[in-house]
Amino acid sequence: PIDTEFHNPTNWEIRIAKLNDEYRHEAQFSKGYSPRWILDAKYIAYVKTDGVYLKEVSYTDFGSTNEVNLITSPYSLSSLNQIAVAPNGAYLAVSYPADPDIADGAIEIYKISLDSNRLQFDLVRRIVQQNGDNMYSPVFSPEGRFLAFITNDRIVDDFKISI
């Protein structure tokens, strides 16, 4: 059984810490899960219960900027939903583990573009596990041409790596 409170992104804090700060300054950035830097570390993308969000990083006051909902999910997300950003910053992948009551497992890949200071995310591919396997932990190859992820059979709990 899944501990829904543990996996609820509103129960997690995203924090930012300066690595070269002798005073060990750190601050809460937002509530959420699976933070990923994007667009030359100007923004952080992360998962919340209703979708994937983006927030600009203010290096003077980490939590001061407004968050923007990039991808709205029709069902509740958890810490089992993970995101990855291609090394060149051009793509964002979101994993959706299988839910027996909702759908097969899937990973959606979005093209990230910044046009006239307007950020845009367009769905370019959806990889679906028709057999009902869960899909987790997407990661892009260093040159951004491939996506690796893990799957597992919901019944056997046998993990597989796919590329």
Side-chain angles (χ1 to χ4, degrees):
I2 294 176
D3 182 347
T4 55
E5 282 306 304
F6 176 80
H7 289 288
N8 184 337
T10 59
N11 294 329
W12 293 80
E13 288 184 1
I14 297 169
R15 301 183 72 78
I16 296 177
K18 292 182 181 178
L19 297 181
N20 62 351
D21 187 353
E22 65 183 82
Y23 300 107
R24 294 184 173 91
H25 174 76
E26 68 174 61
Q28 179 180 331
F29 178 73
S30 183
K31 292 279 193 176
Y33 189 82
S34 194
R36 300 293 181 261
W37 294 97
I38 66 169
L39 298 174
D40 297 327
K42 293 179 183 158
Y43 300 90
I44 293 179
Y46 50 95
V47 174
K48 294 181 82 166
T49 55
D50 60 345
V52 177
Y53 283 77
L54 181 80
K55 191 172 180 180
E56 187 173 0
V57 177
S58 166
Y59 288 96
T60 55
D61 181 8
F62 292 139
S64 68
T65 59
N66 294 329
E67 65 184 12
V68 176
N69 180 268
L70 298 175
I71 302 163
T72 302
S73 176
Y75 31 83
S76 185
L77 302 183
S78 74
S79 64
L80 298 174
N81 300 89
Q82 298 157 350
I83 60 176
V85 177
N88 64 3
Y91 295 96
L92 173 88
V94 182
S95 70
Y96 296 94
D99 183 322
D101 298 326
I102 298 172
D104 291 324
I107 291 182
E108 293 181 344
I109 302 171
Y110 294 83
K111 173 101 174 107
I112 303 170
S113 56
L114 184 61
D115 185 28
S116 301
N117 291 331
R118 188 172 154 260
L119 206 57
Q120 191 166 327
F121 283 71
D122 297 308
L123 180 64
V124 294
R125 180 143 186 232
R126 189 164 204 266
I127 304 167
V128 179
Q129 291 292 98
Q130 299 292 342
N131 60 1
D133 281 1
N134 291 302
M135 299 177 79
Y136 301 103
S137 304
V139 61
F140 286 92
S141 62
E143 76 287 344
R145 292 181 48 223
F146 299 96
L147 181 75
F149 51 91
I150 58 173
T151 63
N152 83 320
D153 184 308
R154 283 185 278 183
I155 299 167
V156 181
D157 288 335
D158 181 26
F159 278 90
K160 304 167 220 115
I161 297 175
S162 301
I163 297 179

